mmCIF file of all heavy atoms in Angstrom:
data_model
loop_
_atom_site.group_PDB
_atom_site.id
_atom_site.type_symbol
_atom_site.label_atom_id
_atom_site.label_comp_id
_atom_site.label_asym_id
_atom_site.label_seq_id
_atom_site.Cartn_x
_atom_site.Cartn_y
_atom_site.Cartn_z
ATOM 1 N N PRO A 23 15.087 -19.971 -15.723
ATOM 2 C CA PRO A 23 14.211 -20.069 -16.902
ATOM 3 C C PRO A 23 12.798 -20.233 -16.427
ATOM 4 O O PRO A 23 12.501 -20.683 -15.343
ATOM 5 C CB PRO A 23 14.738 -21.157 -17.741
ATOM 6 C CG PRO A 23 15.448 -22.052 -16.793
ATOM 7 C CD PRO A 23 16.041 -21.178 -15.778
ATOM 8 N N ALA A 247 20.975 -31.506 -35.344
ATOM 9 C CA ALA A 247 20.927 -32.602 -34.430
ATOM 10 C C ALA A 247 20.565 -32.086 -33.034
ATOM 11 O O ALA A 247 20.825 -30.869 -32.718
ATOM 12 C CB ALA A 247 22.192 -33.325 -34.437
ATOM 13 N N PRO A 248 19.891 -32.866 -32.194
ATOM 14 C CA PRO A 248 19.619 -32.441 -30.851
ATOM 15 C C PRO A 248 20.950 -32.045 -30.133
ATOM 16 O O PRO A 248 21.996 -32.605 -30.400
ATOM 17 C CB PRO A 248 19.023 -33.567 -30.223
ATOM 18 C CG PRO A 248 18.418 -34.414 -31.381
ATOM 19 C CD PRO A 248 19.443 -34.172 -32.473
ATOM 20 N N PHE A 249 20.855 -31.181 -29.194
ATOM 21 C CA PHE A 249 22.066 -30.755 -28.374
ATOM 22 C C PHE A 249 22.078 -31.594 -27.091
ATOM 23 O O PHE A 249 21.158 -32.333 -26.729
ATOM 24 C CB PHE A 249 21.905 -29.279 -28.104
ATOM 25 C CG PHE A 249 22.052 -28.383 -29.287
ATOM 26 C CD1 PHE A 249 20.938 -27.987 -29.935
ATOM 27 C CD2 PHE A 249 23.298 -28.035 -29.769
ATOM 28 C CE1 PHE A 249 21.071 -27.134 -31.104
ATOM 29 C CE2 PHE A 249 23.405 -27.217 -30.932
ATOM 30 C CZ PHE A 249 22.319 -26.752 -31.582
ATOM 31 N N THR A 250 23.190 -31.466 -26.410
ATOM 32 C CA THR A 250 23.277 -32.114 -25.052
ATOM 33 C C THR A 250 22.305 -31.363 -24.040
ATOM 34 O O THR A 250 22.004 -30.212 -24.176
ATOM 35 C CB THR A 250 24.609 -32.068 -24.529
ATOM 36 O OG1 THR A 250 25.084 -30.689 -24.277
ATOM 37 C CG2 THR A 250 25.718 -32.762 -25.491
ATOM 38 N N GLU A 251 22.027 -32.112 -22.997
ATOM 39 C CA GLU A 251 21.141 -31.540 -21.990
ATOM 40 C C GLU A 251 21.761 -30.291 -21.329
ATOM 41 O O GLU A 251 21.164 -29.313 -21.017
ATOM 42 C CB GLU A 251 20.793 -32.546 -20.898
ATOM 43 C CG GLU A 251 19.867 -32.067 -19.800
ATOM 44 C CD GLU A 251 19.439 -33.180 -18.933
ATOM 45 O OE1 GLU A 251 19.278 -34.361 -19.460
ATOM 46 O OE2 GLU A 251 19.176 -32.942 -17.717
ATOM 47 N N GLU A 252 23.201 -30.386 -21.230
ATOM 48 C CA GLU A 252 23.856 -29.345 -20.619
ATOM 49 C C GLU A 252 23.829 -28.016 -21.466
ATOM 50 O O GLU A 252 23.566 -26.925 -20.839
ATOM 51 C CB GLU A 252 25.347 -29.703 -20.358
ATOM 52 C CG GLU A 252 25.604 -30.783 -19.317
ATOM 53 C CD GLU A 252 25.146 -32.210 -19.794
ATOM 54 O OE1 GLU A 252 25.013 -32.394 -21.033
ATOM 55 O OE2 GLU A 252 24.976 -33.008 -18.898
ATOM 56 N N ARG A 253 23.940 -28.123 -22.728
ATOM 57 C CA ARG A 253 23.870 -26.984 -23.564
ATOM 58 C C ARG A 253 22.438 -26.347 -23.682
ATOM 59 O O ARG A 253 22.211 -25.232 -23.757
ATOM 60 C CB ARG A 253 24.426 -27.343 -24.937
ATOM 61 C CG ARG A 253 25.931 -27.707 -24.942
ATOM 62 C CD ARG A 253 26.488 -27.902 -26.360
ATOM 63 N NE ARG A 253 26.641 -26.625 -27.012
ATOM 64 C CZ ARG A 253 27.008 -26.504 -28.271
ATOM 65 N NH1 ARG A 253 27.105 -27.560 -29.082
ATOM 66 N NH2 ARG A 253 27.250 -25.262 -28.877
ATOM 67 N N VAL A 254 21.459 -27.292 -23.703
ATOM 68 C CA VAL A 254 20.063 -26.800 -23.716
ATOM 69 C C VAL A 254 19.808 -25.971 -22.399
ATOM 70 O O VAL A 254 19.193 -24.891 -22.468
ATOM 71 C CB VAL A 254 19.109 -27.966 -23.841
ATOM 72 C CG1 VAL A 254 17.649 -27.535 -23.648
ATOM 73 C CG2 VAL A 254 19.245 -28.621 -25.244
ATOM 74 N N THR A 255 20.256 -26.552 -21.312
ATOM 75 C CA THR A 255 20.031 -25.896 -19.959
ATOM 76 C C THR A 255 20.739 -24.514 -19.975
ATOM 77 O O THR A 255 20.129 -23.514 -19.449
ATOM 78 C CB THR A 255 20.420 -26.830 -18.842
ATOM 79 O OG1 THR A 255 19.745 -28.070 -18.874
ATOM 80 C CG2 THR A 255 20.223 -26.114 -17.494
ATOM 81 N N ALA A 256 21.900 -24.565 -20.428
ATOM 82 C CA ALA A 256 22.725 -23.252 -20.435
ATOM 83 C C ALA A 256 22.063 -22.246 -21.314
ATOM 84 O O ALA A 256 22.000 -21.034 -20.988
ATOM 85 C CB ALA A 256 24.165 -23.527 -20.877
ATOM 86 N N ALA A 257 21.625 -22.637 -22.499
ATOM 87 C CA ALA A 257 20.911 -21.701 -23.410
ATOM 88 C C ALA A 257 19.641 -21.215 -22.788
ATOM 89 O O ALA A 257 19.310 -19.994 -22.935
ATOM 90 C CB ALA A 257 20.644 -22.356 -24.705
ATOM 91 N N ALA A 258 18.904 -22.055 -22.029
ATOM 92 C CA ALA A 258 17.648 -21.571 -21.432
ATOM 93 C C ALA A 258 17.880 -20.553 -20.375
ATOM 94 O O ALA A 258 17.152 -19.575 -20.234
ATOM 95 C CB ALA A 258 16.955 -22.777 -20.769
ATOM 96 N N ARG A 259 18.972 -20.714 -19.643
ATOM 97 C CA ARG A 259 19.387 -19.717 -18.592
ATOM 98 C C ARG A 259 19.902 -18.396 -19.154
ATOM 99 O O ARG A 259 19.845 -17.439 -18.566
ATOM 100 C CB ARG A 259 20.404 -20.358 -17.648
ATOM 101 C CG ARG A 259 19.861 -21.462 -16.874
ATOM 102 C CD ARG A 259 20.845 -21.982 -15.797
ATOM 103 N NE ARG A 259 20.318 -23.045 -14.962
ATOM 104 C CZ ARG A 259 19.553 -22.901 -13.891
ATOM 105 N NH1 ARG A 259 19.294 -21.607 -13.553
ATOM 106 N NH2 ARG A 259 19.064 -23.840 -13.260
ATOM 107 N N ALA A 260 20.396 -18.499 -20.393
ATOM 108 C CA ALA A 260 20.992 -17.265 -20.979
ATOM 109 C C ALA A 260 20.105 -16.550 -21.919
ATOM 110 O O ALA A 260 20.390 -15.516 -22.430
ATOM 111 C CB ALA A 260 22.268 -17.752 -21.818
ATOM 112 N N SER A 265 11.742 -20.928 -21.657
ATOM 113 C CA SER A 265 11.182 -21.944 -20.669
ATOM 114 C C SER A 265 12.119 -23.148 -20.783
ATOM 115 O O SER A 265 12.769 -23.370 -21.846
ATOM 116 C CB SER A 265 9.782 -22.368 -21.072
ATOM 117 O OG SER A 265 9.685 -23.013 -22.299
ATOM 118 N N LEU A 266 12.183 -23.853 -19.728
ATOM 119 C CA LEU A 266 12.953 -25.137 -19.656
ATOM 120 C C LEU A 266 12.161 -26.222 -18.956
ATOM 121 O O LEU A 266 11.709 -25.996 -17.792
ATOM 122 C CB LEU A 266 14.203 -24.948 -18.896
ATOM 123 C CG LEU A 266 15.188 -26.152 -18.699
ATOM 124 C CD1 LEU A 266 15.672 -26.706 -19.973
ATOM 125 C CD2 LEU A 266 16.315 -25.797 -17.704
ATOM 126 N N ASP A 267 11.857 -27.377 -19.650
ATOM 127 C CA ASP A 267 11.039 -28.358 -19.111
ATOM 128 C C ASP A 267 11.611 -29.700 -19.590
ATOM 129 O O ASP A 267 12.180 -29.894 -20.684
ATOM 130 C CB ASP A 267 9.603 -28.238 -19.607
ATOM 131 C CG ASP A 267 8.886 -27.096 -19.030
ATOM 132 O OD1 ASP A 267 8.441 -27.098 -17.917
ATOM 133 O OD2 ASP A 267 8.924 -26.007 -19.764
ATOM 134 N N ALA A 268 11.471 -30.736 -18.774
ATOM 135 C CA ALA A 268 11.696 -32.121 -19.168
ATOM 136 C C ALA A 268 10.547 -32.521 -20.098
ATOM 137 O O ALA A 268 9.370 -32.292 -19.813
ATOM 138 C CB ALA A 268 11.773 -33.002 -17.941
ATOM 139 N N PHE A 269 10.849 -33.196 -21.135
ATOM 140 C CA PHE A 269 9.897 -33.485 -22.200
ATOM 141 C C PHE A 269 8.706 -34.369 -21.650
ATOM 142 O O PHE A 269 7.583 -34.065 -21.825
ATOM 143 C CB PHE A 269 10.527 -34.308 -23.308
ATOM 144 C CG PHE A 269 9.613 -34.529 -24.490
ATOM 145 C CD1 PHE A 269 9.157 -33.486 -25.303
ATOM 146 C CD2 PHE A 269 9.304 -35.845 -24.884
ATOM 147 C CE1 PHE A 269 8.358 -33.670 -26.418
ATOM 148 C CE2 PHE A 269 8.514 -36.123 -25.992
ATOM 149 C CZ PHE A 269 7.959 -35.007 -26.726
ATOM 150 N N ASP A 270 9.030 -35.372 -20.861
ATOM 151 C CA ASP A 270 7.986 -36.234 -20.257
ATOM 152 C C ASP A 270 7.083 -35.438 -19.311
ATOM 153 O O ASP A 270 5.842 -35.621 -19.336
ATOM 154 C CB ASP A 270 8.652 -37.386 -19.442
ATOM 155 C CG ASP A 270 9.118 -38.486 -20.376
ATOM 156 O OD1 ASP A 270 8.772 -38.494 -21.553
ATOM 157 O OD2 ASP A 270 9.890 -39.365 -19.853
ATOM 158 N N CYS A 295 12.745 -24.627 -24.394
ATOM 159 C CA CYS A 295 13.856 -25.579 -24.337
ATOM 160 C C CYS A 295 13.362 -26.820 -23.603
ATOM 161 O O CYS A 295 12.741 -26.838 -22.573
ATOM 162 C CB CYS A 295 15.016 -24.948 -23.445
ATOM 163 S SG CYS A 295 15.727 -23.441 -24.171
ATOM 164 N N LEU A 296 13.735 -27.993 -24.215
ATOM 165 C CA LEU A 296 13.203 -29.253 -23.757
ATOM 166 C C LEU A 296 14.419 -30.202 -23.591
ATOM 167 O O LEU A 296 15.287 -30.198 -24.416
ATOM 168 C CB LEU A 296 12.229 -29.826 -24.716
ATOM 169 C CG LEU A 296 10.970 -29.008 -25.092
ATOM 170 C CD1 LEU A 296 10.230 -29.673 -26.240
ATOM 171 C CD2 LEU A 296 10.168 -28.924 -23.832
ATOM 172 N N THR A 297 14.358 -30.978 -22.481
ATOM 173 C CA THR A 297 15.294 -31.996 -22.271
ATOM 174 C C THR A 297 14.762 -33.367 -22.323
ATOM 175 O O THR A 297 13.503 -33.577 -21.974
ATOM 176 C CB THR A 297 16.073 -31.828 -20.903
ATOM 177 O OG1 THR A 297 15.068 -31.916 -19.877
ATOM 178 C CG2 THR A 297 16.797 -30.504 -20.868
ATOM 179 N N GLY A 298 15.489 -34.414 -22.837
ATOM 180 C CA GLY A 298 15.044 -35.689 -22.836
ATOM 181 C C GLY A 298 13.901 -36.030 -23.804
ATOM 182 O O GLY A 298 13.047 -36.834 -23.526
ATOM 183 N N VAL A 299 13.925 -35.422 -25.022
ATOM 184 C CA VAL A 299 12.890 -35.635 -25.975
ATOM 185 C C VAL A 299 12.980 -37.157 -26.401
ATOM 186 O O VAL A 299 14.001 -37.658 -26.694
ATOM 187 C CB VAL A 299 13.042 -34.715 -27.198
ATOM 188 C CG1 VAL A 299 12.085 -35.133 -28.302
ATOM 189 C CG2 VAL A 299 12.765 -33.247 -26.822
ATOM 190 N N ARG A 300 11.883 -37.785 -26.428
ATOM 191 C CA ARG A 300 11.834 -39.107 -26.839
ATOM 192 C C ARG A 300 10.458 -39.438 -27.659
ATOM 193 O O ARG A 300 9.604 -38.594 -27.681
ATOM 194 C CB ARG A 300 11.838 -40.066 -25.620
ATOM 195 C CG ARG A 300 10.639 -39.953 -24.675
ATOM 196 C CD ARG A 300 10.749 -40.925 -23.565
ATOM 197 N NE ARG A 300 9.665 -40.849 -22.652
ATOM 198 C CZ ARG A 300 8.498 -41.630 -22.773
ATOM 199 N NH1 ARG A 300 8.482 -42.461 -23.739
ATOM 200 N NH2 ARG A 300 7.556 -41.583 -21.945
ATOM 201 N N LEU A 326 14.603 -25.504 -28.648
ATOM 202 C CA LEU A 326 15.913 -26.158 -28.480
ATOM 203 C C LEU A 326 15.717 -27.379 -27.677
ATOM 204 O O LEU A 326 14.993 -27.325 -26.641
ATOM 205 C CB LEU A 326 16.842 -25.125 -27.818
ATOM 206 C CG LEU A 326 18.320 -25.474 -27.826
ATOM 207 C CD1 LEU A 326 18.934 -25.298 -29.164
ATOM 208 C CD2 LEU A 326 19.007 -24.471 -26.842
ATOM 209 N N ALA A 327 16.289 -28.516 -28.116
ATOM 210 C CA ALA A 327 16.006 -29.794 -27.427
ATOM 211 C C ALA A 327 17.236 -30.733 -27.318
ATOM 212 O O ALA A 327 18.105 -30.658 -28.226
ATOM 213 C CB ALA A 327 14.847 -30.516 -28.154
ATOM 214 N N SER A 328 17.250 -31.552 -26.342
ATOM 215 C CA SER A 328 18.083 -32.678 -26.271
ATOM 216 C C SER A 328 17.271 -33.981 -26.385
ATOM 217 O O SER A 328 16.060 -33.900 -26.159
ATOM 218 C CB SER A 328 18.834 -32.658 -24.908
ATOM 219 O OG SER A 328 17.953 -32.929 -23.817
ATOM 220 N N GLY A 329 17.934 -35.037 -26.721
ATOM 221 C CA GLY A 329 17.152 -36.296 -26.850
ATOM 222 C C GLY A 329 17.190 -36.757 -28.268
ATOM 223 O O GLY A 329 18.127 -36.570 -29.005
ATOM 224 N N VAL A 330 16.064 -37.327 -28.746
ATOM 225 C CA VAL A 330 15.980 -37.804 -30.109
ATOM 226 C C VAL A 330 15.602 -36.661 -31.024
ATOM 227 O O VAL A 330 14.953 -35.727 -30.653
ATOM 228 C CB VAL A 330 14.948 -38.964 -30.252
ATOM 229 C CG1 VAL A 330 15.178 -40.047 -29.293
ATOM 230 C CG2 VAL A 330 13.474 -38.419 -29.951
ATOM 231 N N VAL A 367 22.302 -21.300 -29.283
ATOM 232 C CA VAL A 367 23.450 -22.054 -28.759
ATOM 233 C C VAL A 367 24.730 -21.504 -29.372
ATOM 234 O O VAL A 367 24.905 -21.681 -30.592
ATOM 235 C CB VAL A 367 23.308 -23.537 -28.921
ATOM 236 C CG1 VAL A 367 24.492 -24.293 -28.378
ATOM 237 C CG2 VAL A 367 21.987 -24.072 -28.319
#
Side-chain angles (χ1 to χ4, degrees):
F249 294 93
T250 65
E251 184 172 327
E252 291 74 19
R253 295 187 76 186
V254 171
T255 300
R259 292 184 178 278
S265 64
L266 176 64
D267 294 276
F269 187 65
D270 282 348
C295 299
L296 301 171
T297 59
V299 172
R300 64 180 182 89
L326 193 67
S328 70
V330 304
V367 179

